[in-house]
Amino acid sequence: MQAIQIQKNGGPEVLVTINTEKPRPEPGQVLVKLDTCGINYIDTYHRSGLYPVELPAILGLEAAGIVESVGTAVTHFQPGDRVAYPNVPGSYAEYNCIPEERLVPVPDGLSLELAAASMLQGLTGHALTHSTYPVDANSQVLIHAAAGGAGQLLVQLCKMKGARVIGTVSTQAKANIAKQAGADDIIFYNDVDFVAETRRLTDGVGVDVIYDSVGKTTFEPGLSALRPRGTMVLFGNASGAPDPVNPALLMQKGSLFLTRPILFDYIATREELEQRCSDLFGWLENGDISIRIDRTLPLADAATAHRLLESRQTAGKLLLKP
Ligand code: NDP
């Protein structure tokens, strides 16, 4: 089968196409013929070495496809089933073996493209808005990179709960996309002081929660855009990892809460994975939320996808077709 592998850490050029043996499912595993693989920013961290992985490695953590065969002791899936999964390595490939407990069935009414696209970013949006900081109709929320893959989903999920959403973006085109997702106010954070603008938009109070996937350039200033006892949800590093923070700063800025969540801790049990997927798939089928597919590329163009993502040229989901 064809797959995209890295043999060393580096830029997008280290992503190489290989031909390797089709994997065989071990006991408890399901062999899936992948229809669509999702690209996530975390894949670029695995590639660069910011988040170390054992080498050589086939990148990619999410996909959707059709069950080809099952290993012994698999009880819930059979050949022909439509399935998807988050957080299993080896997804930039034609086939992948998935532990049964990490696989979810895809409802008939949902395309495999959307199922793949909703895994990491959608489940993250669900976890951050329902569990990390449960947003409600009284919440005022600041979402950085609001036209990004995770950003657009966060905007929609916060609006579903009736919150007021302020989104930051870099360009007018991205502002239009964030508005379409439901953002009430837009701040061009490259051009204006987003802290002053957030305080102005909230009558000097500050927001209840910040969802920050940008990191280095936004994290520390963001602490000044929160209301007293507000919550900083730092969940990514698109501009680089922020500098370490002295806990006393949280006191000085108004008894703030700081959390640095990662999705995997929010889908650690089968129950949580199923519950969040069931909500997400239902909302997608009903049209309560949508996922903007920025581009779909052939598997062999994974390096192009990484370049586009890292140079801020995307607004939404990037997919690969094996
Ligand atoms: P995005 O689609 O959001 O792409 C990144 C966006 O960040 C860019 O489009 C850009 O938007 C903005 N950005 C700001 N500064 C920079 C910079 N210097 N370089 C590149 N981009 C910049 O990506 P994802 O939705 O896939 O992921 C966003 C972040 O969230 C990543 O760090 C990812 O790892 C993290 N994440 C974390 C999860 C978790 O479990 N903790 C799960 C999912 C994602 P603009 O042009 O508008 O500034």
Side-chain angles (χ1 to χ4, degrees):
M1 70 163 186
Q2 214 181 51
I4 307 295
Q5 193 187 57
I6 57 165
Q7 280 141 19
K8 57 180 183 189
N9 293 122
E13 70 285 352
V14 302
L15 294 164
V16 291
T17 305
I18 58 160
N19 275 303
T20 182
E21 229 171 274
K22 189 162 131 183
R24 292 165 66 93
E26 290 180 7
Q29 287 189 340
V30 175
L31 176 65
V32 182
K33 184 176 190 327
L34 303 182
D35 173 89
T36 307
C37 320
I39 298 256
N40 289 284
Y41 222 99
I42 193 169
D43 306 344
T44 71
Y45 302 146
H46 291 155
R47 191 206 70 221
S48 69
L50 180 67
Y51 297 174
V53 290
E54 199 177 315
L55 300 177
I58 296 173
L59 293 190
L61 290 180
E62 72 185 359
I66 308 285
V67 173
E68 174 111 337
S69 63
V70 299
T72 55
V74 167
T75 52
H76 290 96
F77 296 96
Q78 55 189 23
D81 286 352
R82 303 166 79 245
V83 291
Y85 63 86
N87 192 31
V88 181
S91 303
Y92 293 2
E94 289 181 278
Y95 295 87
N96 201 5
C97 281
I98 314 300
E100 175 177 35
E101 69 275 8
R102 295 281 85 193
L103 207 55
V104 292
V106 175
D108 288 342
L110 192 67
S111 70
L112 291 174
E113 282 82 4
L114 280 183
S118 69
M119 287 285 99
L120 254 73
Q121 293 166 348
L123 291 169
T124 298
H126 189 295
L128 298 187
T129 55
H130 288 67
S131 304
T132 310
Y133 182 95
V135 167
D136 63 29
N138 297 316
S139 305
Q140 301 204 78
V141 180
L142 177 65
I143 298 171
H144 286 304
Q152 285 183 51
L153 280 154
L154 279 168
V155 170
Q156 294 178 72
L157 295 172
C158 288
K159 289 310 295 178
M160 261 179 74
K161 288 177 154 232
R164 185 224 185 150
V165 173
I166 304 170
T168 62
V169 296
S170 64
T171 65
Q172 185 59 53
K174 288 188 177 185
N176 297 342
I177 288 166
K179 277 259 178 198
Q180 219 168 349
D184 300 291
D185 299 279
I186 297 291
I187 301 175
F188 292 94
Y189 57 177
N190 287 348
D191 308 326
V192 303
D193 175 352
F194 80 83
V195 175
E197 190 58 8
T198 302
R199 297 204 80 86
R200 186 187 70 76
L201 287 168
T202 54
D203 298 325
V205 175
V207 287
D208 299 287
V209 57
I210 298 180
Y211 292 114
D212 186 348
S213 63
V214 171
K216 192 166 183 66
T217 55
T218 49
F219 166 67
E220 198 166 328
L223 298 175
S224 302
L226 286 162
R227 68 157 165 80
R229 290 160 47 187
T231 300
M232 170 64 80
V233 180
L234 173 68
F235 72 101
N237 333 280
S239 68
D243 294 329
V245 61
N246 180 344
L249 192 60
L250 303 176
M251 169 190 71
Q252 290 155 14
K253 297 292 178 183
S255 303
L256 302 180
F257 295 88
L258 166 62
T259 180
R260 193 358 181 145
I262 183 132
L263 170 65
F264 315 129
D265 291 321
Y266 287 80
I267 51 170
T269 64
R270 180 76 198 164
E271 291 69 31
E272 264 196 311
L273 176 65
E274 279 181 1
Q275 178 62 56
R276 294 192 201 283
C277 285
S278 154
D279 284 351
L280 265 183
F281 290 165
W283 295 330
L284 283 165
E285 283 187 292
N286 294 338
D288 296 329
I289 60 169
S290 61
I291 296 182
R292 183 177 187 275
I293 308 296
D294 181 273
R295 239 164 292 206
T296 303
L297 298 168
L299 181 63
D301 287 349
T304 304
H306 279 216
R307 287 192 186 96
L308 289 167
L309 190 58
E310 290 177 292
S311 58
R312 303 170 82 157
Q313 291 181 63
T314 64
K317 191 70 200 174
L318 278 171
L319 296 173
L320 295 176
K321 279 283 186 185

